[in-house]
Amino acid sequence: MLDETQGYAVFLYPQALEALGEAIRPYMHDGPSGPHVLCNSIDTGGALIEMTIEGRTAEGTAIAVELMVPANMVRMIVSARSDGVFGFGPRVVAPVGDAVPVPPTALASAQPLHAPVEIPMPAVDAVPPVMAKLPKA
């Protein structure tokens, strides 16, 4: 895979930093863009943002710490990438070995579909509806 993600910088709102207080401080890093949490992976699929951080115990053993904060505390998530193909600039990819360029082809979804369309006739009810008057109240 060309895009190898090395991690994420998660920026929290100032009110979130104040609310979390000292509990979040060991996980924060300071940078030119402000305080943020550096993490290896992130899951944004719920009410809580789950960040996985690699850490070490007092004995030096590697551990994975999962830090979860409410999604409404997160101001921005920035992906840190090591390759040069991230962003809006022109992509320059070096050919690999004896690779032969392949001309672009149209997407399958761009091709017209010629399938017969049959619309079934509505079924007619053989029993006519009963019309009656409701009694006066």
Side-chain angles (χ1 to χ4, degrees):
M1 182 163 47
L2 289 176
D3 294 339
E4 289 207 19
T5 304
Q6 291 189 347
Y8 299 90
V10 179
F11 293 87
L12 303 174
Y13 285 108
Q15 299 87 348
L17 294 173
E18 184 179 332
L20 295 171
E22 291 298 317
I24 194 73
R25 199 161 315 280
Y27 307 105
M28 298 301 295
H29 294 271
D30 205 10
S33 300
H36 56 278
V37 178
L38 287 177
C39 54
N40 297 346
S41 65
I42 192 162
D43 182 7
T44 59
L48 297 175
I49 303 286
E50 182 180 326
M51 299 171 274
T52 304
I53 303 168
E54 285 186 11
R56 296 219 175 261
T57 63
E59 295 80 30
T61 307
I63 59 168
V65 177
E66 291 182 356
L67 178 65
M68 291 175 254
V69 297
N72 63 355
M73 289 187 169
V74 176
R75 179 175 51 162
M76 179 173 61
I77 300 172
V78 179
S79 173
R81 297 183 182 264
S82 63
D83 61 353
V85 296
F86 182 74
F88 296 102
R91 307 242 189 268
V92 179
V93 180
V96 179
D98 296 328
V100 176
V102 178
T105 58
L107 296 173
S109 60
Q111 303 300 320
L113 181 62
H114 300 291
V117 177
E118 292 185 27
I119 300 174
M121 294 299 293
V124 178
D125 192 2
V127 179
V130 177
M131 302 300 279
K133 291 185 177 179
L134 292 175
K136 291 184 180 181

